[in-house]
Amino acid sequence: MKNFCKRYIIICFLSPLILAAISFITTPAAVAAKQIITNKSQKTIVVDPGHGGHDIGAKGLGNTMEKDVALRLALMLSEELGHKYKTALTRTDDYHIDLDGRTAVANHLKADVFISIHTGGSFLHDTDGIVIFYFKEVKERPISRDLYSSDADNVWHHLQIRHIKASGLLAELIKKSIYEYKLYPKVIVKNRPLLILEGADMPAVLIETGYLTNPSEEKKFNTPNYLQGLVKCISMGIERFLLETSHAE
């Protein structure tokens, strides 16, 4: 009887410890589940390397092609942003995609930001600078009612309108980051009715990262340190935008 009592007391004493141990063992699973939820809540950024395939874009005097520079920068930007956000590319190699197909990727993924990467081109070889575009609504644009159009088509052409203010902020914050980094002294923000932007149902900008037709800028595009600095600036601007807009939500 005494032995039984001793065993009963020991069991009662150890039970809370056993339960605590079980709880401790299951904690990693709970943490993992929480991590999965956190990952699902991450912002998604779609990076679009302009041109591709037969569409080479601008071409420098040293035969550097815009489609190659755009892809190189897009891959680097996706990798840089991938440390904090979900990222996706509209193309990962040298092939052509229609403009609608590029924004369709971003819309399908319900992206939070769409960034289209390009270089500028000009007949004047001394033209330089970085230009960041966001969408401008063309109010006089007629609504198409031909046999080949649909209400869905008309909605597509107006998706970016509700994001114009946010897209303008995104452009300005990227510009600010480039200036602060002292990467480039000339950065211009413009709003234009660009087709690549109008179908994007999220804040979106197109960045002409410099003029490939300018020999000095073409040289920069073949300098890894310059490309990395440019990627850092764009990434910093995007991060600032996402932080600022998340506070406003």
Side-chain angles (χ1 to χ4, degrees), residues 170-189:
L170 174 61
E172 290 292 346
L173 290 174
I174 293 173
K175 173 183 175 179
K176 181 180 179 181
S177 296
I178 294 171
Y179 276 148
E180 287 182 355
Y181 199 78
K182 297 180 179 179
L183 180 78
Y184 209 98
K186 184 179 178 182
V187 185
I188 302 170
V189 170

Side-chain angles (χ1 to χ4, degrees), residues 8 13 18 27 34 44 68 79 83 86 92 102 105 131 142 157 162 178 187 200 204 206 222 230 241-242 246 248:
Y8 180 78
F13 175 75
I18 294 169
T27 299
K34 186 176 181 181
T44 299
D68 296 331
E79 182 179 0
H83 297 298
K86 292 181 181 178
T92 57
R102 296 170 187 267
V105 171
V131 186
H157 292 303
R162 60 182 173 181
I178 294 171
V187 185
L206 182 150
N222 290 288
L230 187 56
F241 171 77
L242 290 173
S246 66

Side-chain angles (χ1 to χ4, degrees), residues 127-146:
T127 304
D128 61 355
I130 295 173
V131 186
I132 307 172
F133 294 95
Y134 68 100
F135 189 68
K136 178 181 181 180
E137 180 183 3
V138 181
K139 296 186 182 295
E140 64 271 16
R141 177 174 178 164
I143 297 177
S144 177
R145 292 295 180 188
D146 59 40

Side-chain angles (χ1 to χ4, degrees), residues 66-242:
E66 180 179 359
K67 66 174 184 176
D68 296 331
V69 174
L71 181 58
R72 193 178 309 130
L73 278 169
L75 288 167
M76 292 171 67
L77 182 59
S78 178
E79 182 179 0
E80 179 73 21
L81 292 167
H83 297 298
K84 292 186 178 181
Y85 309 104
K86 292 181 181 178
T87 61
L89 293 160
T90 56
R91 70 178 176 96
T92 57
D93 211 330
D94 185 18
Y95 49 84
H96 179 71
I97 304 176
D98 292 335
L99 295 182
D100 288 352
R102 296 170 187 267
T103 44
V105 171
N107 291 343
H108 175 71
L109 294 174
K110 297 181 179 179
D112 297 279
V113 171
F114 176 77
I115 306 288
S116 189
I117 302 294
H118 292 255
T119 69
S122 174
F123 292 111
L124 302 174
H125 292 166
D126 61 346
T127 304
D128 61 355
I130 295 173
V131 186
I132 307 172
F133 294 95
Y134 68 100
F135 189 68
K136 178 181 181 180
E137 180 183 3
V138 181
K139 296 186 182 295
E140 64 271 16
R141 177 174 178 164
I143 297 177
S144 177
R145 292 295 180 188
D146 59 40
L147 294 174
Y148 299 99
S149 70
S150 66
D151 290 337
D153 294 328
N154 294 321
V155 169
W156 174 270
H157 292 303
H158 291 82
L159 285 174
Q160 181 59 201
I161 293 173
R162 60 182 173 181
H163 300 289
I164 288 177
K165 184 177 179 180
S167 297
L169 174 62
L170 174 61
E172 290 292 346
L173 290 174
I174 293 173
K175 173 183 175 179
K176 181 180 179 181
S177 296
I178 294 171
Y179 276 148
E180 287 182 355
Y181 199 78
K182 297 180 179 179
L183 180 78
Y184 209 98
K186 184 179 178 182
V187 185
I188 302 170
V189 170
K190 296 181 179 180
N191 61 334
R192 295 288 185 272
L194 301 181
L195 293 175
I196 184 64
L197 299 178
E198 71 172 351
D201 193 14
M202 73 286 299
V205 296
L206 182 150
I207 307 174
E208 286 191 347
T209 53
Y211 280 81
L212 193 56
T213 47
N214 183 317
S216 64
E217 297 204 353
E218 180 182 12
K219 185 177 179 180
K220 288 181 180 179
F221 284 127
N222 290 288
T223 306
N225 287 343
Y226 176 76
L227 295 181
Q228 191 59 51
L230 187 56
V231 164
K232 286 281 187 184
C233 291
I234 297 172
S235 176
M236 191 186 307
I238 294 170
E239 185 171 357
R240 283 175 167 174
F241 171 77
L242 290 173

